[in-house]
Each structure stands twice: as structure tokens, then as C-alpha cells.
């Protein structure tokens, strides 16, 4: 890696918040100084009286390797130390303004000690990438017009070895890729992998923003994981947490004895609900730190996107304060103006450097224009998780079908705003923990009805506008909630219904990939039309998805009750011959096999606002897809 010189220019950019490769300036880098091999250490500690580098190599004696305050920057400390090797551990011993000495991990370290150790580790980022073809193809990739089926993973609990130990990045790479390819996913989304001290935080409370967690190996091992994914045409997205950080003593909190990365105002600095610290987005050095970190993962690790966690915590000053006090902005509002400016700056910088990046906001409020460009007043992301759709649908699907007719709006309301943003429809880890139950166990009814309800939900979800995300284990019907400290229950695949559900998800994913009408126009009304959205008494909805070409169309009918709807007349958009091409109630998927085996010729009977209609059977707790096989014109039947 090419280092940045510690000079007027690089430090000026850092202090004004525009040094977007500050990891080349700070941290520990192997280099040469005065013609001697050494490691250059640099850290920003503006309130420190003195800083030293300590480690096993000097018996953790803060008198040995003292750093010098750089003449180029406010609070930048530098040292050149000879005789160090990769793998050596170190910390900064910082003498605070009050004279106390505190030990801190390096905010810019590229590797960290395995928990419960908290030291930083010397390393070089050296890996020979083999994903040139992927990188070339990505330059012309338009995610809006392509399918996106994201498999969300927690690496430590996807699968473990016979002894119950976690797999390394290298051990898991081939297994994950084989699985994801077999199941027809297009992307993997990894829960946070920046170094974190507590397993139970799942990686969302970080101490080492530039360190890939040592739980599963070293940085080169993770590069290998990404490389294997890319060589198999699988994109990799990483959960990234710039919204808050943990309070652990070795981390960023009170880094030099005083607030550095957090605000001096306690009400702004702390998220009381999560017992974490908020970044001070108005501090320019923090802007350089975070934007550099985003670009570090995207460039050095070839990641294809970042899913930004807890954006609402960044946007709202009262977030996480409950009924307690909070600090309003200069205009008396609850909006965090510094955070808004930071997000503008972040997304502008990322897209300027790597235009095809996926920048995905996990934003749970109704904040407008999240996925609109900064120059038209948006936050600048290109995707947002549709949390409203997720909450409504999980509430609806958890209801006993007898009560669904009174809650029909939970199914239909999402189309009132489906094209206001570029959405991803998430069925994530957050929905299968903390007593919420697994997706399968949310479904009401007996054993058969639970599987039928989940199959119907998945087929409806797949046809709804928006890209897709599914958490691991949900594709074979994990019955218990997700446990970060144990492997998924892969043995469930030995049971017929779970095996059938697994086959179902694979085939449903394949249908999605093979039918452009389900993803070409995800962000436009032109790709979706209601047929029937008001049949609440039968808990039935019907709509169709259309692609860019006129002959690309799938008609979708959903029956959210366990009652078979015989002789159900439904309108269709065009005159022609239709056939059922996918049925979630098929016997091979564990269903009751109520299928429409014959083709349907549409009739000149108006229905549901359409000039044509036909009569068919709706299977129980099921969704069917129809395709027009032939178009009927004045000259006769023409094959599509």
C-alpha cells in the first residue's frame, strides 16, 4: 500500500474533512526512514501531553518509544520504530491532559488481537487478486435494471465444524459460494466484520474500524473470501456501522482522555438506549476517518457495497433517548444537521470514486428522498431497506387468516409509496431474534399451514417491486430463533417439509432470475399494475409485473386464507391464452397440489377494470404465477 507523506497537504485535507484515504496517513505502516526499515506510527490525539507506542517489543514501557508531535498537524503524533515484524501487537500509551496514562488500540490498525485481547496487530495488506473480470464487468453494471437476491449471513453461526468451532474465512469461502450458487442468490450481505469485542453485539459495536475481525482469520483470508465470491459471480455487501461505537476502554471513547470522536455535549455523544457513543459528524477529522473507512473497505477489500446500519440514529437527535432529555439543533428541530451533511459528503465521495457501489440505508423512518441524489436534496444513497413493508407484512402474515380481511390494508399500503425510493425488501436477522420468533414460526396454524403460509409469503415477496434480502436459515425453515453462538439447524433438511421448502426457495429464486419483468422496472410504476387490491373478504390480491418488452409479463394471484377459491374470476390485462407456471401449493413443495393444469383462454368479460377475464382456482394459502402463452389477435392466435 502506498503511504501518504505526513506533510502540509495531507494533514490539511485531514483537518478539513476531505482526506478520504487517511488510512494511508495514520496507523502503522512498514516503510523506510533515513534508509532504515521501520514501522511508521501516526495517530491523532489532540489533547494528549505525550503519546508512546507500547507492546511486547518494549515490555509495554511507555518510556521507550515515545512519539513526536508533528509540526504539520494539530494533535498528530508520529514515531518510526525499527526491528518490528508482522504479527507484533501494540497500543498507544496516551498521557492525558490530567497526567493519567491510558492504553488505546490504534483507530487505523489493519488487524487486531483475537478477543479477549484488545491490542492492535502489525500487518501488511498483501493479496494477489484474481477477480479482474468481475471488476471489469462491474464498471458497466446497472443494479436498478438487474436482479438482486441478497443472502444475509452471520459468518460465525452459518455453519461450524464438528467440534463446534467457527470456520475461518478460507474454510467457509468455498462452502458458502457453493451454497449461494446452488440457491440462485446474486449477492451475499455479511453482518459487520470490523473488529468488535463482544460476540453478543453481532459486530454492531465496534472498536477497530479498519480491522477485519480476527475471529475468522486475517485480512488476507477475508480478501480470499471476497475473491472467491467474485470469481463465482457473487457480489459481496458488508454491514457498516458509522452511526455509533462501543464504550470499551481500548476504543474511540475519550480517546486521549477527552472527547475526540464523540461530541463534548453528553446529550449528543451518547445513545442511552444502546449504551453506545455517537460520532460527532460536525468534526472534520471524524468525517475524514469515516469516509476513508468506507472507501477502505470498498477499494482494499473489493467490496461491492455497504449497508449502512441505523441511519435513523444518525438523522434524529432524539433517537435512543426515550423519554429522557435530548439536544435540539440550532433551529429547535430534531434533525441532526451535521449528520445530514456528513451523509451527503459520504455518498458523494463514494460514488465519485466507485460509481457502481451499492450504498444501502437501513433507515426506519419516513425521512424523504433517502435514495435521491444529493444535488436534488436527497441523502444520496442508491437503495433503502423498506422497513414499512416488512413490518406490515410480518404483522399481517402472523395473523390468523380469519382476521386478515380486516387488515387487508397491511398488504396493499406499501404500493402507495413503493416507488418513492429505490427499495430492498428485507427479511433480515432482526426479525428472527429477541422473542420475535423465526419466520416459519410466525405463521399461524398447524404444521402444514405454517409451511404453506411461508411459501405464499415468499412468492408474494418475490413478485412485489423491490430487490430482495433473506436471512440465512429462513430458506429452509429454521424453526427456532437465530442464535449467534451456534450453527444453523442444517439437520432440518433431513425432514421432508423443510427439504421441500428449501427446494421451493431455490426454484422461486430461479424463477425470479429468469423473468426480467420481476426486476427490470423495480423502481418505476411502469413495472407494476394492480388487477385487484380490494377483495378483502376473500383476502385475495392480484397484480402483474411487466418488463421493458411488452411480452414480458407475470400475473400474480395471492390467496392468504386456507380456503380453496373455486371458480374465481380475475381480470387480465391482455387478450390471450394463459397458463399457470408457478404454484406455491405444488405437491413437490409440500403443498396440497391444488393446481390449474389446463390453459385459460381469456374471455371478453370485463373484470377488475380489465376488458378481459378468466375463471380459475386459487389454492389455499398460496400464490400462483400466470404467463400468457399466446396472444389472441384479430388474425387468430399468435405464440408469444
Amino acid at each position: 500500500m502506498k503511504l501518504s507523506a505526513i506533510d502540509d497537504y495531507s494533514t490539511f485535507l485531514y483537518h478539513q474533512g476531505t482526506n478520504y484515504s487517511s488510512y494511508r496517513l495514520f496507523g502503522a505502516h512498514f516503510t523506510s526512514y533515513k534508509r532504515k526499515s521501520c514501522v511508521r506510527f501516526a495517530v491523532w490525539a489532540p489533547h494528549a501531553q505525550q503519546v508512546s507506542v507500547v507492546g511486547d517489543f518494549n515490555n509495554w514501557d511507555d518510556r521507550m518509544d515515545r512519539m513526536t508531535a508533528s509540526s504539520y498537524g494539530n494533535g498528530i503524533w508520529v514515531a518510526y520504530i525499527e526491528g518490528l515484524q508482522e504479527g507484533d501487537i501494540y497500543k498507544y500509551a496516551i498521557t492525558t491532559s490530567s497526567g493519567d496514562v491510558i492504553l488505546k488500540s490504534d483507530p487505523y490498525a489493519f488487524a487486531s488481537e483475537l478477543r479477549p485481547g484488545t491490542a492492535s496487530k502489525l500487518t501488511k495488506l498483501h493479496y494477489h487478486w484474481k477477480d479482474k473480470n468481475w471488476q471489469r464487468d462491474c464498471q458497466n453494471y446497472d443494479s436498478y435494471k438487474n436482479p438482486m437476491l441478497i443472502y444475509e449471513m452471520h459468518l460465525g453461526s452459518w455453519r461450524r465444524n464438528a467440534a463446534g468451532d467457527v470456520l475461518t474465512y478460507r474454510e467457509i469461502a468455498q462452502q458458502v459460494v457453493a451454497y449461494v450458487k446452488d440457491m440462485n442468490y446474486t449477492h451475499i450481505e455479511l453482518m459487520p466484520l470490523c473488529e468488535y469485542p463482544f460476540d453478543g453485539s453481532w459486530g454492531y459495536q465496534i472498536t477497530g474500524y479498519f480491522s477485519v475481525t480476527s475471529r475468522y482469520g486475517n485480512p488476507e483470508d477475508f480478501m480470499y473470501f471476497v475473491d472467491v465470491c467474485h470469481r463465482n459471480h457473487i457480489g459481496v455487501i458488508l454491514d457498516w456501522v458509522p452511526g455509533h461505537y462501543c464504550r470499551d476502554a481500548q476504543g474511540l471513547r475519550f480517546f486521549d482522555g477527552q472527547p475526540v470522536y464523540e461530541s463534548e455535549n453528553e446529550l449528543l455523544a451518547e445513545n442511552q438506549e444502546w449504551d453506545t457513543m455517537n460520532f460527532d459528524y460536525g468534526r472534520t477529522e471524524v468525517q475524514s476517518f469515516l469516509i476513508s473507512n468506507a472507501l477502505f473497505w470498498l477499494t482494499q477489500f473489493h467490496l461491492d457495497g455497504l449497508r449502512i446500519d441505523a441511519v435513523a440514529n444518525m438523522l434524529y437527535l432524539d433517537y435512543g433517548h426515550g423519554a429522557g432529555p435530548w439536544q435540539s439543533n440550532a433551529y429547535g428541530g430534531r434533525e441532526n444537521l451535521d449528520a445530514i451533511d456528513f451523509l451527503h459528503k459520504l455518498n458523494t465521495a463514494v460514488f465519485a470514486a466507485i460509481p457502481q457501489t451499492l450504498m444501502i440505508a437501513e433507515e426506519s423512518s419516513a425521512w424523504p428522498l433517502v435514495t435521491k441524489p444529493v444535488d436534488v436534496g436527497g441523502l444520496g444513497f442508491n437503495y433503502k431497506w423498506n422497513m414499512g413493508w416488512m413490518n406490515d407484512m410480518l404483522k399481517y402474515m402472523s395473523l390468523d387468516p380469519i382476521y386478515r380481511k380486516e387488515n387487508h390494508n397491511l398488504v396493499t399500503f406499501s404500493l402507495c409509496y413503493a416507488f418513492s425510493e429505490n427499495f430492498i425488501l428485507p427479511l433480515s436477522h432482526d426479525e428472527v431474534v429477541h422473542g420475535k420468533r423465526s419466520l416459519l414460526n410466525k405463521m399461524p396454524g398447524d404444521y402444514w399451514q405454517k409451511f404453506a403460509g411461508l411459501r405464499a409469503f415468499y412468492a408474494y415477496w418475490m413478485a412485489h417491486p423491490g430487490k430482495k434480502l433473506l436471512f440465512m436459515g429462513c430458506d429452509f425453515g429454521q424453526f427456532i430463533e437465530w442464535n449467534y453462538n451456534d450453527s444453523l439447524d442444517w439437520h432440518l433438511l433431513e425432514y421432508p417439509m423443510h427439504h421441500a421448502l428449501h427446494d421451493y426457495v431455490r426454484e422461486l429464486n430461479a424463477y425470479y432470475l429468469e423473468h426480467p419483468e420481476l426486476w427490470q422496472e423495480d423502481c418505476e410504476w411502469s413495472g407494476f399494475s394492480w388487477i385487484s387490491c380490494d377483495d378483502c373478504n376473500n383476502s385475495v390480491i392480484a397484480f402483474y409485473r411487466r418488463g421493458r418488452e411488452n411480452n414480458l409479463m407475470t400475473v400474480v394471484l395471492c390467496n392468504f386464507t386456507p380456503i380453496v377459491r373455486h371458480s374465481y374470476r380475475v381480470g387480465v390485462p391482455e387478450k390471450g391464452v394463459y397458463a399457470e407456471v408457478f404454484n406455491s401449493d405444488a405437491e413437490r413443495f409440500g403443498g396440497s397440489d391444488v393446481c390449474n393444469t389446463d390453459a385459460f383462454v381469456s374471455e371478453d368479460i370485463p373484470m377488475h377494470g380489465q376488458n378481459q377475464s378468466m375463471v380459475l382456482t386459487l389454492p389455499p394459502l398460496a400464490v400462483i404465477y400466470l404467463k400468457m402463452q399466446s396472444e389472441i389477435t384479430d388474425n387468430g392466435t399468435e405464440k408469444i
Side-chain angles (χ1 to χ4, degrees):
M1 176 186 293
K2 184 179 180 181
L3 272 66
S4 292
I6 301 175
D7 56 18
D8 281 333
Y9 180 65
S10 62
T11 56
F12 169 76
L13 293 179
Y14 174 69
H15 288 305
Q16 77 163 9
T18 56
N19 189 327
Y20 298 153
S21 59
S22 58
Y23 56 88
R24 300 179 187 272
L25 176 66
F26 294 104
H29 297 271
F30 287 88
T31 185
S32 61
Y33 181 65
K34 295 183 178 179
R35 298 184 179 181
K36 293 182 179 180
S37 296
C38 63
V39 175
R40 188 189 78 184
F41 295 88
V43 67
W44 180 56
H47 308 109
Q49 290 189 44
Q50 177 62 54
V51 183
S52 300
V53 182
V54 295
D56 287 341
F57 48 84
N58 61 14
N59 295 316
W60 299 89
D61 187 342
D62 65 349
R63 298 168 299 177
M64 296 292 292
D65 292 298
R66 292 188 172 180
M67 306 180 79
T68 302
S70 171
S71 60
Y72 291 111
N74 173 24
I76 295 177
W77 298 81
V78 184
Y80 297 88
I81 303 176
E82 299 175 28
L84 303 184
Q85 299 178 351
E86 278 198 87
D88 286 347
I89 60 173
Y90 70 98
K91 285 187 176 181
Y92 294 119
I94 300 175
T95 303
T96 70
S97 59
S98 62
D100 296 326
V101 177
I102 57 177
L103 294 180
K104 289 289 186 175
S105 301
D106 187 349
Y108 284 89
F110 295 154
S112 302
E113 212 179 0
L114 180 64
R115 65 179 185 339
T118 58
S120 301
K121 185 180 291 189
L122 292 177
T123 191
K124 300 175 183 177
L125 297 182
H126 41 66
Y127 181 80
H128 178 62
W129 288 93
K130 301 176 183 177
D131 66 345
K132 183 167 61 176
N133 290 341
W134 174 269
Q135 296 296 326
R136 180 199 63 218
D137 293 343
C138 281
Q139 294 177 9
N140 299 314
Y141 177 70
D142 182 354
S143 64
Y144 304 117
K145 303 299 182 184
N146 279 282
M148 193 183 299
L149 279 174
I150 304 170
Y151 184 66
E152 187 192 22
M153 294 185 62
H154 177 263
L155 284 185
S157 57
W158 183 71
R159 181 176 286 155
R160 297 195 170 190
N161 63 24
D165 299 323
V166 299
L167 302 178
T168 68
Y169 296 115
R170 289 183 181 267
E171 288 172 337
I172 206 170
Q174 299 289 350
Q175 296 182 45
V176 167
V177 164
Y179 181 81
V180 167
K181 288 183 68 176
D182 176 62
M183 293 300 293
N184 298 304
Y185 295 105
T186 62
H187 293 72
I188 293 169
E189 182 174 313
L190 300 168
M191 292 171 66
L193 292 176
C194 296
E195 192 60 79
Y196 58 102
F198 177 48
D199 288 5
S201 80
W202 313 334
Y204 291 97
Q205 295 190 16
I206 293 168
T207 51
Y209 272 81
F210 288 84
S211 297
V212 65
T213 181
S214 53
R215 286 166 173 79
Y216 317 120
N218 61 40
E220 290 73 34
D221 295 333
F222 181 54
M223 291 173 176
Y224 171 83
F225 178 94
V226 176
D227 203 15
V228 171
C229 290
H230 285 174
R231 284 185 277 139
N232 286 274
H233 312 290
I234 298 165
V236 183
I237 302 163
L238 180 67
D239 276 15
W240 185 54
V241 191
H244 61 114
Y245 55 92
C246 69
R247 302 166 64 93
D248 288 46
Q250 76 275 14
L252 299 177
R253 181 173 181 260
F254 294 152
F255 184 74
D256 60 5
Q258 297 183 45
V260 174
Y261 290 89
E262 68 272 20
S263 171
E264 296 179 0
N265 184 330
E266 189 173 302
L267 289 176
L268 298 175
E270 297 189 3
N271 183 308
Q272 297 170 2
E273 181 181 357
W274 296 340
D275 195 27
T276 56
M277 307 301 295
N278 298 322
F279 283 103
D280 182 356
Y281 302 107
R283 184 167 287 167
T284 50
E285 293 86 357
V286 171
Q287 295 171 13
S288 287
F289 174 80
L290 288 173
I291 297 174
S292 293
N293 187 242
L295 288 167
F296 171 78
W297 291 105
L298 294 167
T299 58
Q300 300 302 310
F301 287 84
H302 289 202
L303 295 177
D304 302 285
L306 298 173
R307 176 268 198 182
I308 290 74
D309 180 67
V311 173
N313 177 57
M314 302 170 70
L315 292 174
Y316 297 101
L317 293 165
D318 59 344
Y319 194 97
H321 288 266
W326 56 279
Q327 179 73 54
S328 64
N329 63 35
Y331 304 99
R334 57 196 287 253
E335 300 83 6
N336 188 333
L337 304 180
D338 288 334
I340 296 167
D341 289 342
F342 164 73
L343 291 173
H344 289 165
K345 200 170 182 179
L346 166 70
N347 286 316
T348 299
V350 166
F351 289 123
I354 316 169
Q356 70 275 12
T357 302
L358 301 172
M359 292 294 283
I360 304 165
E362 190 248 346
E363 202 285 304
S364 55
S365 76
W367 190 281
L369 306 179
V370 172
T371 60
K372 296 300 182 283
V374 171
D375 58 7
V376 298
L379 289 183
F381 294 95
N382 51 7
Y383 287 99
K384 172 184 173 175
W385 275 19
N386 193 335
M387 309 292 279
W389 170 89
M390 178 271 297
N391 285 317
D392 283 351
M393 282 308 302
L394 291 182
K395 179 179 179 181
Y396 180 82
M397 295 304 301
S398 298
L399 293 171
D400 187 299
I402 197 171
Y403 300 116
R404 288 178 178 171
K405 63 182 179 181
E406 289 121 10
N407 292 275
H408 199 68
N409 63 302
L410 293 174
V411 182
T412 59
F413 179 65
S414 62
L415 270 301
C416 294
Y417 61 87
F419 308 106
S420 63
E421 303 279 6
N422 305 322
F423 282 120
I424 292 174
L425 308 183
L427 298 173
S428 75
H429 66 277
D430 274 329
E431 312 319 316
V432 293
V433 289
H434 300 324
K436 296 179 184 177
R437 298 174 293 168
S438 68
L439 291 188
L440 180 62
N441 213 20
K442 291 182 199 292
M443 302 297 117
D446 59 24
Y447 184 77
W448 185 92
Q449 289 175 332
K450 285 181 179 295
F451 282 93
L454 190 58
R455 291 193 306 271
F457 179 38
Y458 284 167
Y460 155 81
W461 163 68
M462 197 64 73
H464 190 287
K467 309 303 182 185
K468 314 296 187 286
L469 178 142
L470 186 65
F471 185 55
M472 64 183 196
C474 297
D475 50 7
F476 62 77
Q478 180 101 355
F479 245 121
I480 63 171
E481 290 186 349
W482 168 58
N483 179 1
Y484 72 89
N485 204 28
D486 199 3
S487 171
L488 295 179
D489 289 339
W490 292 102
H491 65 276
L492 290 176
L493 288 171
E494 299 172 12
Y495 295 86
M497 289 296 283
H498 292 275
H499 192 278
L501 177 64
H502 199 232
D503 290 342
Y504 171 78
V505 172
R506 180 191 298 109
E507 194 165 323
L508 183 63
N509 288 353
Y511 185 95
Y512 170 84
L513 295 182
E514 294 164 3
H515 290 82
E517 62 267 29
L518 297 184
W519 39 262
Q520 275 185 343
E521 302 293 328
D522 261 334
C523 307
E524 305 290 341
W525 268 110
S526 58
F528 175 92
S529 286
W530 279 116
I531 294 174
S532 171
C533 62
D534 58 359
D535 189 1
C536 56
N537 288 329
N538 290 313
S539 296
V540 170
I541 61 171
F543 59 88
Y544 64 89
R545 299 296 308 279
R546 191 183 289 279
R548 287 197 293 266
E549 293 79 29
N550 287 334
N551 62 335
L552 294 176
M553 181 177 66
T554 291
V555 176
V556 181
L557 289 93
C558 310
N559 177 13
F560 291 115
T561 71
I563 300 170
V564 179
R565 304 292 179 189
H566 296 285
S567 303
Y568 190 90
R569 182 171 290 277
V570 62
V572 289
E574 295 177 9
K575 189 174 186 177
V577 179
Y578 292 78
E580 181 182 282
V581 294
F582 192 87
N583 187 330
S584 70
D585 191 50
E587 184 178 21
R588 69 183 185 280
F589 301 141
S592 60
D593 212 33
V594 176
C595 300
N596 296 277
T597 56
D598 296 328
F600 307 97
V601 178
S602 67
E603 301 174 89
D604 295 327
I605 300 176
M607 188 69 180
H608 298 136
Q610 310 292 328
N611 293 326
Q612 296 284 303
S613 65
M614 56 193 183
V615 174
L616 42 68
T617 299
L618 301 183
L621 288 174
V623 172
I624 61 174
Y625 297 166
L626 307 178
K627 293 282 287 182
M628 190 165 68
Q629 307 297 301
S630 305
E631 183 180 7
I632 300 175
T633 67
D634 293 338
N635 298 323
T637 301
E638 296 181 4
K639 187 174 179 60
I640 297 296

